[in-house]
Amino acid sequence: AQSVTQPDIHITVSEGASLELRCNYSYGATPYLFWYVQSPGQGLQLLLKYFSGDTLVQGIKGFEAEFKRSQSSFNLRKPSVHWSDAAEYFCAVGASGGSYIPTFGRGTSLIVHP
Amino acid sequence: NAGVTQTPKFQVLKTGQSMTLQCAQDMNHEYMSWYRQDPGMGLRLIHYSVGAGITDQGEVPNGYNVSRSTTEDFPLRLLSAAPSQTSVYFCASSRDRVNTEAFFGQGTRLTVV
């Protein structure tokens, strides 16, 4: 069965600093991978997705993620964090040979200090 | 463009009561799913559907029923509410097995007392 691990429950960064949120997945074949963001009291919004091709994918709000098959990772990065980026971030894997319903990690809460 | 609409946004139930959470999407998506979100647990899949008339269980199906009579609607029924079902519930839809990007509703915050 597919699974997703987000090892960091909370991450604190200063505004303007760079950010990397970690995500590791477990799946036998090439997965579909996603990052979502959830602002307080809101639903989830897609930041970016990887299906195939270029392993560095660009998303909205200046985010990017890199798929590394050898490390089973799909880490999310942003070069300069803004206070409005404070939110909960979820990594998800959607199997390319299963139910096609995404499995989510437990989330990483991003705190941004001014 | 409404996307995925969930009702109600908030609900308080007494233990043992039943209710239905509504979910509707207007994007003609084949796939629909229900998740519950609890602190520190992420989103856990309750039930999902890959098309009208087809449903299946997810990770935490006990105490919940679903049906999918139309492409647009995917209601979630709580049969006999328990305090352990206090949670935030999200409905999501995705186009098909190729484009699996999920679109989410705004959630229903349910409290069972």
Side-chain angles (χ1 to χ4, degrees):
Chain A
Q2 60 204 45
S3 66
V4 178
T5 301
Q6 293 181 247
D8 303 306
I9 298 173
H10 303 284
I11 290 281
T12 301
V13 298
S14 298
E15 191 170 16
S18 64
L19 171 70
E20 182 169 31
L21 302 183
R22 296 183 291 166
C23 173
N24 294 98
Y25 68 89
S26 173
Y27 184 66
T30 300
Y32 299 159
L33 294 162
F34 309 90
W35 275 100
Y36 288 85
V37 60
Q38 183 184 31
S39 298
Q42 302 296 313
L44 278 75
Q45 180 185 22
L46 181 74
L47 281 176
L48 47 77
K49 59 189 176 186
Y50 171 80
F51 285 174
S52 64
D54 193 346
T55 57
L56 183 64
V57 293
Q58 303 296 321
I60 62 172
K61 305 184 180 187
F63 285 92
E64 67 177 25
E66 186 171 12
F67 170 60
K68 293 185 177 180
R69 184 189 304 274
S70 62
Q71 298 177 18
S72 297
S73 69
F74 189 57
N75 293 348
L76 182 71
R77 301 192 294 247
K78 187 170 185 178
S80 177
V81 171
H82 189 263
W83 65 266
S84 60
D85 293 324
E88 190 88 13
Y89 291 81
F90 292 94
C91 181
V93 58
S96 58
S99 69
Y100 306 94
I101 302 293
T103 297
F104 286 81
R106 294 192 173 191
T108 298
S109 178
L110 175 63
I111 301 165
V112 180
H113 282 315
Chain B
N1 191 359
V4 180
T5 303
Q6 288 183 237
T7 55
K9 288 185 169 54
F10 301 94
Q11 184 70 50
V12 178
L13 288 179
K14 294 182 179 179
T15 298
Q17 286 184 318
S18 63
M19 79 160 294
T20 299
L21 307 185
Q22 301 292 343
C23 176
Q25 53 93 6
D26 62 359
M27 297 173 283
N28 200 31
H29 284 175
E30 288 185 33
Y31 285 36
M32 296 187 74
S33 51
W34 277 101
Y35 295 87
R36 61 177 289 173
Q37 183 179 24
D38 303 290
M41 302 295 290
L43 283 86
R44 292 182 292 170
L45 183 65
I46 304 172
H47 285 285
Y48 66 96
S49 168
V50 299
I54 306 169
T55 63
D56 206 345
Q57 296 181 351
E59 179 186 356
V60 288
N62 292 341
Y64 307 95
N65 272 357
V66 293
S67 60
R68 183 109 179 260
S69 56
T70 67
T71 299
E72 295 78 21
D73 300 300
F74 190 45
L76 178 72
R77 296 182 185 84
L78 279 70
L79 308 173
S80 177
S84 61
Q85 294 178 303
T86 294
S87 186
V88 180
Y89 292 84
F90 286 99
C91 179
S93 73
S94 50
R95 194 178 73 186
D96 52 41
R97 64 191 297 166
V98 174
N99 192 339
T100 56
E101 173 188 346
F103 293 80
F104 284 85
Q106 290 298 297
T108 296
R109 184 173 294 275
L110 175 68
T111 302
V112 182
V113 297

